[in-house]
Structures are given as C-alpha cells and as structure tokens.
C-alpha cells in the first residue's frame, strides 16, 4: 500500500481542491487517517469484498478501506469538487476504486457491486437516515449487502440500537433489529471533524441476519409501527384503532395490554401483532 501512503495529507488535498465542507450537503470531513483506518477495520475482513462508500469527500475513509484490503471500492459522491481528489486515489490504486458522481438515493446497487458486499460510510447528515431505511427495507431478504458500518449523529445511532422502555426506542430500532444485529462500535467527539459539528457522532454496525428474527408480514409490521410511534403518547388501543375495529381484542390475543404504549412493546410483540392483524380469525 505504499502508493496510498504516498498520497498527500488530507488537509493539503482540501486546500488544493478548495474542498470547504458545505452545510447544505451535510458534509463534515474526518481527516485523521488513524480514525478512518479504525472505521475501516470495524467493518471486518474486507479482502475479497466489494465495498460501497457514500459521501467520500476528500477520501479519508476511502484510503482506509483500500489500505485494509478491500477488493474494490465503489464511492458515490454528489459534490463534483471532490472528484479530482478521489481521482488521485484511484490513480494510486488501479482497478480498485470506482467513483460515481451522483446521488446515492438514486443508485442501483446491483449495477455496480457484486453481492454480497459491505457498505461502509461516514454518511452525510442530511440523508443518512433515509439511506439506512432504504437499505433495511428491500423487497427480498437477505439483501445484496452483508453488513453496514455507518457513521451517524450519536442520537441517531442510539435510536438504531435502542431497547424498549428507553428514551431512544422507536420505529427505527424495530426496522433495524427485525432483520439485523445492530451495535455501536465507536463514538467520536465533534472535534474529530472539520468543521466540527455541534453533536457527537457514532459508528453503528448492522449485520444482516439470514432471515428476520420473528415471522410476520413486513409491510404489516411497517404499517403498525408507523401508526404506533406516530402517536407514541397514546395507548395502543387508540393509536391503532384504524387497523381493525376489534383492535382491543387483537391486542389481548397476543398478550399486549390495550392500554400499553408503543415504547413498552418489544420487537417480538409487534411481530406477533402483525401476524394477528394480517391473518384475522
């Protein structure tokens, strides 16, 4: 990896290409190559593996992924200013880095990556949660990716791994934990970034399970959890009354008190409820 080691420091790259982070693009650059290498290592063994990176910016994490032995990195970057810096990394690693200029929300993953692949990214703050939900909700499961190692604002990370009856527990935790093993593997202070955000950040790792934890119709589960948590202060008999006229009886049939609130019910309970709602009688 001598060619990667020979690349200029990231601060020089930013100056050379006038890569001032833009707030409207949700950019906060991570310039410490020791930290980017640590994030790359948190994704596990990358040898023989394709990796998708979203929002590489000047390419700090990109360098880490390549140095850790990724077979191939596909980096999606919306900001055209970053393309020359990424081209320099691609030139140093012939055939191992493909840079796509565009919006990750519009990307057809199957067209650019060989499954199973990993997704590793310091996600732009403004699209991070939307991308995660898309990756968690494909039509078919297991998905094309095997794991997600993603940086979010710490509060979002805590929502992904939260348990029932805790402050951050909600629909995002249920969507993530229904099909994945989710854990926080690293936290970073604001001063690790340029510019420094106002909040701490955290890296979450989600490993795809071969099948969902509990059987149920996924669309029904999504509908129930959306209704329950959109009115999370209400009792479930009130927030879910639009599902079925006999919702109180349905709740009782799966052992959920109609007076319970959404944050009191775990994943297994919501899956049982989804089965009962989808299969009346």
């Amino acid at each position: 990896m001598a060619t990667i080691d020979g690349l200029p420091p990231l601060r020089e790259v930013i100056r050379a290409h006038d890569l001032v982070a833009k707030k409207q693009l949700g950019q906060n650059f991570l310039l410490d190559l020791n930290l980017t290498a640590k994030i790359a290592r948190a994704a596990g063994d990358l040898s023989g593996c394709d990796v998708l990176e979203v929002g590489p910016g000047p390419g700090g994490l990109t360098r880490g992924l390549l140095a850790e032995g990724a077979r191939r990195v596909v980096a999606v970057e919306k900001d055209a200013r970053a393309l020359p810096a990424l081209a320099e990394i691609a030139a140093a690693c012939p055939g191992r880095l493909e840079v796509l200029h565009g919006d990750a929300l519009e990307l057809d993953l199957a067209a650019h990556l060989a499954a199973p692949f990993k997704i590793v990214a310091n996600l732009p703050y403004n699209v991070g949660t939307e991308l995660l939900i898309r990756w968690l909700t494909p039509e078919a499961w297991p998905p094309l990716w095997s794991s997600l190692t993603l940086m979010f604002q710490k509060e979002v990370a805590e929502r992904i791994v939260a348990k029932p009856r805790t402050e951050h527990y909600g629909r995002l935790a249920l969507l993530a934990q229904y099909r994945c093993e989710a854990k926080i593997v690293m936290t970073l202070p604001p001063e690790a970034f340029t510019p420094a955000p106002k909040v701490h950040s955290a890296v979450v790792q989600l490993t795809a399970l071969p099948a969902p934890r509990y059987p149920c119709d996924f669309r029904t589960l999504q509908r129930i959890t959306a209704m329950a948590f959109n009115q999370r202060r209400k009792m479930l008999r009130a927030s879910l009354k639009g599902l079925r006229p006999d919702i109180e009886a349905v709740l009782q049939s799966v052992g959920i008190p109609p007076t319970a609130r959404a944050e009191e019910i775990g994943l297994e309970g919501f899956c049982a409820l989804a089965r009962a709602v989808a299969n009346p009688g």
Side-chain angles (χ1 to χ4, degrees):
M1 294 298 139
T3 49
I4 296 178
D5 293 340
L7 289 168
L10 288 174
R11 291 190 185 279
E12 289 183 18
V13 171
I14 288 173
R15 281 196 298 270
H17 298 288
D18 195 24
L19 274 174
V20 178
K22 288 187 174 181
K23 186 176 182 179
Q24 61 266 39
L25 293 176
Q27 292 175 328
N28 295 91
F29 298 143
L30 192 57
L31 303 186
D32 185 335
L33 293 178
N34 291 318
L35 286 176
T36 58
K38 189 175 179 182
I39 295 168
R41 286 194 295 272
D45 184 7
L46 300 180
S47 61
C49 182
D50 282 4
V51 177
L52 172 67
E53 183 187 5
V54 176
L61 180 56
T62 314
R63 294 191 197 186
L65 295 169
L66 292 165
E68 289 301 315
R71 176 178 64 197
R72 189 166 154 273
V73 175
V74 175
V76 184
E77 179 53 67
K78 190 174 184 179
D79 187 355
R81 300 174 307 149
L83 299 182
L86 296 169
E88 292 172 2
I89 302 173
C93 302
R96 295 181 60 213
L97 174 60
E98 178 182 0
V99 180
L100 302 177
H101 179 211
D103 189 339
L105 292 169
E106 300 170 2
L107 178 68
D108 177 6
L109 300 183
H112 298 280
L113 295 128
F117 57 85
K118 298 185 178 187
I119 302 178
V120 187
N122 172 15
L123 291 174
Y125 279 175
N126 55 355
V127 295
T129 304
E130 183 177 356
L131 280 169
L132 174 63
I133 291 173
R134 289 193 182 198
W135 292 331
L136 290 174
T137 56
E139 288 295 324
W141 196 270
L144 296 174
W145 51 268
S146 61
S147 69
L148 310 172
T149 304
L150 307 172
M151 188 181 301
F152 296 96
Q153 296 178 41
K154 188 180 178 186
E155 182 178 336
V156 175
E158 289 172 339
R159 285 168 53 204
I160 293 168
V161 304
K163 301 302 179 187
R165 300 177 184 272
T166 62
E167 176 187 0
H168 296 288
Y169 181 66
R171 188 164 178 254
L172 188 57
L174 289 160
L175 289 179
Q177 296 171 39
Y178 174 62
R179 290 169 156 177
C180 296
E181 193 71 51
K183 60 182 179 180
I184 292 176
V185 295
M186 191 187 316
T187 57
L188 294 97
E191 52 270 23
F193 299 86
T194 301
K198 295 180 180 179
V199 296
H200 282 65
S201 299
V203 177
V204 179
Q205 186 168 68
L206 298 107
T207 303
L209 297 171
R213 289 185 192 277
Y214 307 103
C216 73
D217 177 71
F218 186 44
R219 291 184 184 278
T220 304
L221 178 65
Q222 287 181 292
R223 184 182 177 204
I224 288 171
T225 54
M227 293 176 71
F229 284 99
N230 282 348
Q231 302 181 77
R232 62 186 301 147
R233 292 191 176 185
K234 289 188 175 182
M235 296 177 185
L236 289 173
R237 66 185 181 191
S239 62
L240 300 179
K241 64 182 179 181
L243 277 174
R244 281 176 49 171
D246 60 343
I247 191 61
E248 285 201 44
V250 175
L251 286 163
Q252 289 173 332
S253 75
V254 295
I256 297 176
T259 55
R261 290 176 171 78
E263 69 263 19
E264 300 174 48
I265 309 303
L267 175 60
E268 187 174 7
F270 274 112
C271 289
L273 180 59
R275 290 195 300 274
V277 168
N279 301 290

